[in-house]
Amino acid sequence: MIAYLTGVVREVRENSAVVVAGGVGYEVQCPAGTLARLVVGEIAELNTRFIVREDAQLLFGFADTDSVRLFDLLTGVSGVGPKLGLALLSAMPVSALAQGLLSGDAKLLSSVSGVGKKTAERLVLELQGKVPEHLAAPAAAGTKPARVITTAGRDAVDALLALGFREAGVRAVVAELLSAEPELSADALIRKGLGRLR
């Protein structure tokens, strides 16, 4: 098991990054929030999960231990593979995802691309009592759990994508901004998003 990886970021792709450690370049698939923090040429420290299949060996990387904990819980549910677990973690901050699972919000989960109604209900059924409550706490004191998909958020994502920014980075930045200030308008999100993405 590869549990941790430290190395220089050589490349950041749409859904993964290449991290060079010990002269070897590892392709690490990461959620959007983790990818948004990685900078080419700088050192990355990632908590990892190494998954071996008949047809592939996949390495998944996370910027924090809370994301790994939630990823392990998600992929422990029947029918939820690592790609879907990654999609859930990319769609919203850990606190919002954990809150959705704890509160039984299947509608929130099914709003994520690739998560159907039955899968969302299964996730809630199996994880509602297993998710540690501290994961649902907002990242900063005094902030509310992020309302993941707001109309303003969707509009801001669409506008930033139209400007040519990478989808993973755009979604992560908009989610972080909404997590800190859920009432931001689309214009404010676009303006602040541009400041972080440039």
Side-chain angles (χ1 to χ4, degrees):
M1 168 70 80
I2 301 173
Y4 195 80
L5 181 66
T6 300
V8 177
V9 179
R10 179 162 184 169
E11 186 179 349
V12 178
R13 301 172 179 172
E14 187 173 345
N15 299 306
S16 65
V18 176
V19 178
V20 178
V24 178
Y26 295 89
E27 181 176 13
V28 190
Q29 298 186 48
C30 307
T34 295
L35 287 172
R37 298 185 196 184
L38 300 180
V39 178
V40 173
E42 293 190 3
I43 298 288
E45 296 184 8
L46 299 171
N47 299 280
T48 58
R49 286 294 179 261
F50 184 51
I51 297 175
V52 179
R53 295 175 164 175
E54 288 183 13
D55 60 341
Q57 295 183 28
L58 305 170
L59 188 61
F60 296 86
F62 308 88
D64 56 83
T65 54
D66 286 347
S67 295
V68 178
R69 182 75 185 274
L70 210 46
F71 180 78
D72 289 342
L73 288 169
L74 291 167
T75 54
V77 174
S78 175
V80 179
K83 294 285 179 78
L84 195 53
L86 212 60
L88 283 157
L89 285 164
S90 289
M92 60 191 89
V94 167
S95 59
L97 180 53
Q99 182 62 44
L101 290 165
L102 285 169
S103 64
D105 193 347
K107 187 175 180 182
L108 171 70
L109 301 176
S110 63
S111 70
V112 176
S113 178
V115 180
K117 183 180 177 183
K118 287 185 178 179
T119 300
E121 290 171 350
R122 191 183 313 121
L123 283 163
V124 166
L125 182 67
E126 293 194 28
L127 298 181
Q128 198 164 12
K130 294 182 181 177
V131 175
E133 290 190 13
H134 77 271
L135 294 183
T143 61
K144 302 173 186 175
R147 285 180 296 174
V148 178
I149 300 177
T150 64
T151 301
R154 281 195 295 267
D155 290 347
V157 166
D158 289 344
L160 291 167
L161 289 177
L163 291 172
F165 291 105
R166 216 166 29 90
E167 183 173 0
V170 166
R171 292 191 183 281
V173 164
V174 170
E176 284 179 21
L177 290 170
L178 284 173
S179 181
E181 299 178 77
E183 305 298 332
L184 283 175
S185 67
D187 286 345
L189 285 167
I190 293 166
R191 190 170 60 253
K192 291 189 175 199
L194 282 170
R196 292 198 186 190
L197 290 163
R198 280 179 174 158

